[in-house]
Amino acid sequence: MSTLERVRQRLKAHPMALDAMLAAGVLVCMVAGSFVDPHGKDGVTWGLRSPDGLSLVLIALGAAALVLRRRAPRTVLAFTGTVSLVESVTGDPRAPVAMSAVIALYTVASTTDRPTTWRIGLLTMTVLTGAAMLAGPLPWYAQENLAIFAWTGIGATAGDAVRSRRAFVQAIRERAERAERTREEEARRRVAEERLRIARDLHDVVAHHIALVNVQAGVAAHVMDKRPDQAKEALAHVREASRSALNELRATVGLLRQSGDPEAPTEPAPGLDRLDELVGTFRNAGLRVEVARADHGTTLPAAVDLAAYRVIQEALTNVQKHAGTEAKAEVSVVRVGPRIEITVLDDGAGEHPVPEGGGHGLLGMRERVTALRGTLTTGPRYGGGFRVHAILPVDNRSGAEGEPG
């Protein structure tokens, strides 16, 4: 962050200090303008003059009031307008006290609505300009009187423009946030509907074929001794029903796979006992991986063992895809009481995907861990890199009992 940006942030955090600086700048401008004389002997020429004491006092009062312009904008406008009105009527030579009223009018216009800006702006312009023309020491057509009219109009217009732009930017921001929330809600709704549909399909497949298998198995057991031929026929029906159930389950679960996903393996599900083999495949691909384990002697349930393996696999895949060619990964598996903790760190400079942005791997990890009553946290590391941390229960029987049948 640059020095200018730091100063800007600090001033935003202390608006009173910013207003004090503005008041000081306006004071300097008004004091300097009070010593300038635009009326020379030969027309409009510039020279020096000596302002009277009352003008200097009014200048100081008008500038000091601007310190409170954010807290009480209309009160400050009324005070600076009164000060400017007194100066317009009594000041000879005229001092630019109306500058404080212009700043106050700008503040009111930038913090209120347009109809109020029109009413207050026209009232300020009319009162100050009319008093200067009718009761001031200068002729009504003097340039100082016309300047009051012009500068008050500019102040009200600029304040209204700033307010309109601020409201426009806020509306765009709110519209973007609302669209983002709507998109996320629609995505969650569609995911929930798809899961419900697949769950119904799985229920129908399992319920129908398991019921059929149960009936045929009962028939086979009943006639096994007396009518073996009929028992063989019943067992053939059991085999056919089980094969049909497997095919339908494979087709239904296949809907959950992404295009390009490998086919379901026929070998036993992998676990942490194959961690060295998994890490070796990534090392052969050029990724530097270090492994630290403190879970020796721990026997994990099959579901937990598979979830731990998949978390490490997906995390290392993300490192290889997104962390850059020079990245190094660290994998740790630690037994902590009734839980096992899996941590995968990398020091890469790339950007990992987030679940909201289409990171299906992170979503899959989170759902897999949550299904086992575990927790998963992911996010960038301080100083660069990414961190994946999963906590899984060593004994997930309580979690399995709470799942629907």
Side-chain angles (χ1 to χ4, degrees), residues 9-334:
Q9 295 293 337
R10 190 169 300 174
L11 289 177
K12 282 186 176 181
H14 302 84
M16 185 69 73
L18 180 60
D19 291 338
M21 294 176 58
L22 176 64
V26 173
L27 176 63
V28 171
C29 293
M30 289 192 296
V31 171
S34 65
F35 285 91
V36 177
D37 184 12
H39 300 284
K41 297 180 179 180
D42 300 326
V44 180
T45 58
W46 298 94
L48 296 177
R49 65 181 181 182
S50 298
D52 56 18
L54 179 61
S55 296
L56 295 178
V57 172
L58 295 176
I59 287 174
L61 292 176
L66 294 179
V67 178
L68 303 175
R69 69 186 186 96
R70 295 178 192 263
R71 294 189 175 183
R74 298 192 185 188
T75 303
V76 171
L77 175 60
F79 181 80
T80 54
T82 302
V83 171
S84 301
L85 182 63
V86 173
E87 169 62 22
S88 299
V89 174
T90 62
D92 190 17
R94 182 78 60 80
V97 182
M99 184 181 297
S100 60
V102 172
I103 302 297
L105 180 58
Y106 164 84
T107 304
V108 172
S110 64
T111 56
T112 187
D113 56 89
R114 179 163 295 173
T116 305
T117 299
W118 274 96
R119 292 193 298 268
I120 295 179
L122 289 176
L123 178 62
T124 304
M125 294 167 61
T126 302
V127 172
L128 293 183
T129 306
M133 288 182 174
L134 298 177
L138 299 177
W140 69 269
Y141 53 84
Q143 62 180 4
E144 286 87 344
N145 298 334
L146 299 179
I148 293 176
F149 180 83
W151 281 108
T152 50
I154 291 174
T157 304
D160 182 71
V162 170
R163 180 199 55 78
S164 299
R165 180 183 180 278
R166 190 183 299 135
F168 177 72
V169 172
Q170 182 65 24
I172 292 178
R173 184 180 293 110
E174 291 178 354
R175 191 179 301 115
E177 293 176 354
R178 186 165 55 252
E180 184 67 21
R181 289 194 301 268
T182 302
R183 183 162 55 250
E184 292 176 357
E185 292 173 358
E186 179 66 17
R188 287 194 294 268
R189 185 185 64 81
R190 291 190 177 186
V191 168
E193 291 178 353
E194 183 66 14
R195 286 177 177 173
L196 180 59
R197 186 186 66 80
I198 294 175
R200 289 172 177 169
D201 291 343
L202 289 175
H203 176 270
D204 294 341
V205 170
V206 172
H208 171 71
H209 290 91
I210 293 301
L212 183 60
V213 167
N214 182 63
V215 171
Q216 295 296 337
V219 172
H222 181 69
V223 300
M224 180 66 71
D225 296 331
K226 297 181 179 179
R227 294 190 293 274
D229 293 338
Q230 187 176 354
K232 288 182 180 181
E233 183 180 355
L235 291 176
H237 288 307
V238 169
R239 182 180 181 183
E240 183 64 27
S242 62
R243 181 186 296 112
S244 177
L246 287 175
N247 291 334
E248 293 191 33
L249 284 174
R250 185 180 297 110
T252 303
V253 177
L255 298 175
L256 299 176
R257 294 185 177 275
Q258 303 295 320
S259 59
D261 283 352
E263 294 294 333
T266 57
E267 60 186 24
L272 292 180
D273 57 337
R274 297 177 55 184
L275 179 59
D276 293 337
E277 178 183 347
L278 174 67
V279 171
T281 60
F282 286 97
R283 287 173 177 167
N284 294 334
L287 180 64
R288 294 179 297 163
V289 184
E290 295 181 2
V291 179
R293 299 190 64 172
D295 64 323
H296 300 292
T298 301
T299 301
L300 299 177
V304 176
D305 203 15
L306 175 61
Y309 180 91
R310 294 302 187 196
V311 167
I312 297 174
Q313 183 184 42
E314 182 60 32
L316 291 178
T317 301
N318 285 338
V319 174
Q320 191 175 36
K321 287 182 178 179
H322 307 287
T325 58
E326 300 298 326
K328 182 179 71 173
E330 298 176 7
V331 179
S332 67
V333 182
V334 181

